[in-house]
């Protein structure tokens, strides 16, 4: 791989899987790359279209309605093995909500049907009795400052972590993965699965930059990222952090 | 008459009187009290209406369409009950009927026109057994409340199953999720846009329902008016947009007129509220009036004298400054409002956006990222963006990532002080004010205190 600076993000199924402003994450990543004069492109891929994996520096996939999720599931399982092998190889990915569930071992629908996932993340999802809806604040173990991540969750499934996956964070506010063990999201290699919408990355710029750094490192670019002014982002971040103190 | 219903109605009015006296808007308390005393009170009261009830539901345009329809029906000389303050949950509907009269228990009105929340449709349908149901459209709106779009469609479908056998459905032909609601057992009046000219789709719209509701294949659009509204067909199973019997054929912004074909004959109506989505609202109101047998001449006359409700694209003078107000609540609506700002504005503009995240606004502000600011920032010539409300900072971030320079954005959570500052800075120009629902209430309260808009009773 050449060490030419570049940030190409593969956005999987933006038409089907973009339920709660998840495209905001792609906007945040590409803008933060461009502000640093790193050429950045969004590669959009819908069902059945080919993927030029060599051009991909990071993968993003968002959440979708159950009916839309069912429509892409077959295609996603088809590209699953190729995707999983690249993720194991260190390709960074951010998977939100439905994508997080689909990246796991299986998920059970509210009707009790067990649907297979791609099986990369060592997590599985069971149906919940009520939807988990509300603001979320977590403390992450990732090497970023601040340690807090904020967002908004809205999911019916309850996700549980196996031994292969670490939690992305511990909840200080909200339900997180399952409302029982205090965890939120999953971390495995350089893949982050999470229930956080919000959109997540615009108000967690430190997490956006970590993903950007991972993507560049994979291309051999190891110099640290030029710092950006982020007063607005952190003010939005603090609006939600303050809610965990008052809860 | 059952004693319980009598008691329920009287208690509701007393509760309403007390809550108004204590200065609370409280439009749900009377409904709560009445239903506690007599759970069947809504059924009993609605049964006494001579003609019956029209329930109006859908994501966008309920309030505007209901206001227009009310104005038209009132012109036909029939007595009408309606939830004017937009209290559209089951308690609000109950309160509206319980408080319709002063001295009598049962309403004397011929009919009720009730704006109804989508999730309330099953219950409202079951209790009221409506004569007509009008459905505007389905967009992603406040998903944190209902979960997902298909759930919302199912709620409305269940509500429709309670329409009386001789009843009528008024459906938007251009929205596939609405058109599919035709049950086969009820007469349907479809409305839609049949404009010859191609309308340029403005900006990115969050696409919601582009799949055939019957077979799940992607729909093909011959023409698209906005988002997923247009002329669609399914190449896989052959299902397609039904032919509307109330069809908007042409419109002119400069003449403020719209040409509508109703059951084969063309009429010209006044059209005051800009934006394609207001054409749909007006078409929905006309089709509903047709379903209520209002004569066309009356529709024509009444639309000429219709004025939009506060905050639904209205202008108010605050000293030398013209305030142009429009509610924003979801991506599609926000894109449409920004389009109307672009149409309306001459020269440079100042825009104030107020984002709250209370329950009525939707607690999740993710949807701001589905609004196509990237497109509009390049087309609007905004000198200054004022962002306010509980989530002012999220809005500031949204503008930053859309490429708005930092020195053009003023952020302050306090609505009144920022509005005051913005008005002062704009001076003799126009300030476009775009708030979410509860933010609009704050703006309205402030303008009322300044004596700029008349106070009106809510509930």
């Amino acid at each position: 791989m050449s060490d030419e600076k570049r940030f190409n993000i593969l956005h999987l199924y933006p038409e089907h899987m973009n339920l709660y402003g998840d495209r905001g994450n792609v906007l945040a990543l590409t803008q933060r790359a461009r502000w640093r004069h790193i050429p950045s492109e969004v590669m959009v891929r819908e069902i059945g279209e080919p993927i030029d994996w060599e051009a991909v520096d990071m993968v993003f996939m968002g959440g979708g309605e159950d009916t839309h999720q069912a429509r892409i599931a077959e295609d996603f399982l088809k590209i699953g093995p190729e995707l999983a092998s690249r993720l194991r190889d260190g390709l960074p990915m951010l998977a939100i909500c439905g994508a997080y569930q689909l990246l796991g071992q299986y998920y059970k629908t509210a009707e009790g049907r067990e649907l297979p996932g791609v099986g990369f993340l060592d997590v599985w999802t069971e149906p919940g009795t009520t939807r988990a809806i509300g603001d979320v604040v977590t403390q992450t173990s990732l090497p970023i400052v601040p340690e807090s991540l904020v967002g908004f969750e809205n999911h019916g499934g309850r996700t549980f972590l196996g031994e292969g996956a670490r939690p992305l964070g511990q909840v200080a506010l909200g339900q997180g993965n399952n409302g029982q063990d205090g965890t939120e999201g999953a971390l495995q290699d350089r893949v982050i699965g999470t229930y956080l919408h919000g959109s997540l990355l615009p108000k967690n710029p430190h997490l956006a930059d970590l993903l950007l750094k991972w993507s560049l490192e994979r291309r051999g670019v190891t110099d640290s990222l030029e710092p950006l002014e982020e007063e607005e982002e952190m003010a939005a971040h603090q609006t939600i952090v303050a809610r965990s103190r008052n809860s | 008459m059952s004693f319980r219903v009598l008691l329920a109605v009287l208690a509701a009015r007393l509760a309403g009187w007390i809550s108004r006296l204590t200065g609370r808007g409280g439009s749900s308390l009377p409904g709560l009290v009445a239903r506690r005393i007599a759970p069947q009170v809504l059924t009993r009261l609605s049964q006494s209406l001579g003609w019956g009830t029209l329930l109006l539901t859908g994501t966008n345009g309920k309030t505007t369409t209901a206001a227009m329809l009310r104005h038209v029906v009132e012109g036909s000389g029939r007595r009408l009950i309606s939830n004017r303050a937009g209290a559209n949950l089951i308690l609000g509907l109950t309160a509206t009927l319980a408080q319709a009269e002063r001295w009598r228990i049962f309403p004397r009105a011929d009919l009720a026109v009730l704006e109804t929340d989508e999730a309330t449709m099953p219950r409202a349908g079951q209790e009221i057994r409506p004569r007509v149901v009008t459905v505007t459209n389905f967009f992603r709106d406040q998903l944190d409340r209902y979960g997902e779009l298909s759930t919302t469609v199912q709620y409305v479908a269940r509500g429709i199953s309670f329409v009386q056998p001789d009843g009528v459905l008024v459906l938007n032909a251009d929205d596939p999720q609405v058109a599919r609601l035709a049950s086969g057992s009820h007469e349907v009046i479809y409305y839609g846009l049949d404009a010859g000219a191609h309308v340029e789709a403005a900006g990115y719209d969050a696409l919601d329902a582009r799949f055939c509701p019957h077979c799940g294949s992607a729909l093909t659009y011959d023409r698209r008016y906005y988002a997923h509204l247009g002329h669609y067909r399914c190449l896989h199973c052959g299902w397609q947009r039904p032919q509307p019997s109330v069809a908007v054929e042409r419109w002119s912004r400069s003449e403020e007129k719209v040409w509508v074909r109703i059951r084969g004959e063309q009429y010209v109506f006044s059209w005051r509220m800009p934006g394609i989505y207001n054409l749909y609202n007006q078409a929905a109101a006309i089709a509903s009036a047709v379903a209520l047998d209002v004569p066309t001449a009356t529709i024509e006359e009444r639309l000429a004298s219709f004025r939009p409700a506060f905050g639904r694209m209205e202008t108010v003078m605050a000293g030398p400054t013209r305030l142009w107000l429009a509610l924003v609540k979801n991506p599609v609506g926000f894109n449409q409002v920004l389009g109307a700002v672009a149409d309306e504005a001459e020269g440079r503009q100042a825009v104030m956006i107020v984002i709250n995240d209370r329950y009525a606004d939707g607690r999740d502000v993710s949807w701001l990222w589905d609004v196509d600011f990237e497109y509009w920032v390049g087309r609007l010539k905004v000198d200054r963006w004022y962002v306010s409300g509980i989530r002012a900072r999220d809005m500031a971030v949204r503008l930053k990532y859309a490429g708005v320079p930092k020195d053009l954005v003023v952020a302050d959570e306090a609505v009144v002080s920022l509005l005051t500052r913005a008005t002062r800075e704009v001076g003799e120009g126009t300030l476009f004010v775009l708030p979410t629902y509860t933010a609009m209430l704050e703006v309205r309260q402030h303008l009322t205190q300044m004596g700029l808009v008349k106070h009106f009773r809510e509930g």
Side-chain angles (χ1 to χ4, degrees), chain B residues 211-225:
Chain B
F211 301 99
C212 175
H214 292 284
C215 74
S217 311
L219 289 168
T220 303
Y221 279 81
D222 299 324
R223 192 172 291 161
R224 193 175 257 190
Y225 295 107

Side-chain angles (χ1 to χ4, degrees), chain A residues 165-238:
Chain A
R166 283 194 293 144
L168 173 65
Q170 300 291 328
V171 288
L173 175 69
Q175 300 283 309
N177 281 330
N178 47 52
Q180 297 167 24
D181 61 15
T183 65
E184 202 294 312
L187 181 64
Q188 199 172 323
D189 296 327
R190 289 187 160 181
V191 177
I192 291 173
T194 176
Y195 275 118
L196 300 188
H197 304 281
S199 301
L200 174 66
L201 296 182
K203 48 181 160 274
N204 295 283
H206 51 323
L207 182 62
D209 281 355
L210 180 69
L211 286 162
L212 208 50
K213 184 170 156 262
W214 282 350
S215 306
L216 291 166
E217 272 173 13
R218 202 162 159 273
R219 296 185 55 74
V221 181
T222 50
D223 21 327
S224 53
L225 288 172
E226 180 191 329
L228 298 173
E229 182 275 312
E230 47 200 34
E231 190 191 332
E232 289 93 342
E233 291 89 333
M234 291 323 287
H237 184 93
Q238 286 306 327

Side-chain angles (χ1 to χ4, degrees), chain A residues 79-95:
Chain A
I79 64 166
E82 171 87 59
L83 173 67
S85 97
R86 289 181 188 270
L87 297 180
R88 269 190 293 273
D89 190 38
L91 181 66
M93 175 165 180
L94 176 63

Side-chain angles (χ1 to χ4, degrees), chain A residues 12-13 53 59 61 69 72-88 93 95 98-107 115-125 188 191:
Chain A
L12 288 175
Y13 317 111
W53 284 107
V59 183
M61 184 167 153
Q69 203 160 311
I72 61 103
E74 190 191 342
D75 183 80
F76 190 52
L77 289 180
K78 226 179 273 173
I79 64 166
E82 171 87 59
L83 173 67
S85 97
R86 289 181 188 270
L87 297 180
R88 269 190 293 273
M93 175 165 180
Y100 171 35
Q101 297 173 351
L102 280 171
L103 216 48
Q105 308 297 331
Y106 69 83
Y107 66 96
L115 300 170
V118 160
F120 173 79
L121 286 175
D122 189 12
V123 306
W124 63 93
T125 303
Q188 199 172 323
V191 177

Side-chain angles (χ1 to χ4, degrees), chain B residues 127-272:
Chain B
E127 294 189 19
I128 294 172
R129 307 263 163 182
R131 206 49 202 279
V132 180
V133 168
T134 299
V135 187
T136 58
N137 48 54
F138 290 117
F139 289 110
R140 294 172 189 168
D141 176 26
Q142 303 175 348
L143 288 157
D144 55 320
R145 225 192 282 176
Y146 307 143
E148 299 175 337
L149 179 64
S150 46
T151 320
T152 312
V153 178
Q154 280 163 21
Y155 285 141
V156 173
R158 221 176 322 144
I160 280 179
S161 69
F162 295 107
V163 172
Q164 292 176 21
D166 62 342
V168 181
L169 306 181
V170 178
L171 302 177
N172 187 342
D174 295 352
D175 185 332
Q177 296 288 350
V178 174
R180 76 185 286 198
L181 292 170
S183 61
S185 47
H186 293 108
E187 183 197 340
V188 179
I189 299 177
Y190 285 107
Y191 65 92
L193 265 53
D194 259 346
H198 212 88
V199 180
E200 192 205 348
Y204 164 96
D205 281 315
L207 292 175
D208 292 311
R210 296 140 292 120
F211 301 99
C212 175
H214 292 284
C215 74
S217 311
L219 289 168
T220 303
Y221 279 81
D222 299 324
R223 192 172 291 161
R224 193 175 257 190
Y225 295 107
Y226 78 97
H228 61 270
L229 271 59
H231 297 189
Y232 52 84
R233 60 203 158 91
C234 175
L235 297 177
H236 186 252
C237 75
W239 186 69
Q240 60 177 348
R241 168 189 183 256
Q243 206 53 48
S245 50
V246 173
V248 175
E249 296 190 311
R250 190 156 79 83
W251 58 88
S252 160
R253 184 76 193 106
S254 55
E255 295 170 73
E256 297 198 331
K257 283 194 167 32
V258 56
W259 286 257
V260 183
R261 195 187 64 239
I262 303 175
R263 290 174 171 156
E265 277 192 63
Q266 203 186 59
Y267 301 87
V268 187
F269 300 113
S270 298
W271 172 48
R272 286 230 160 64

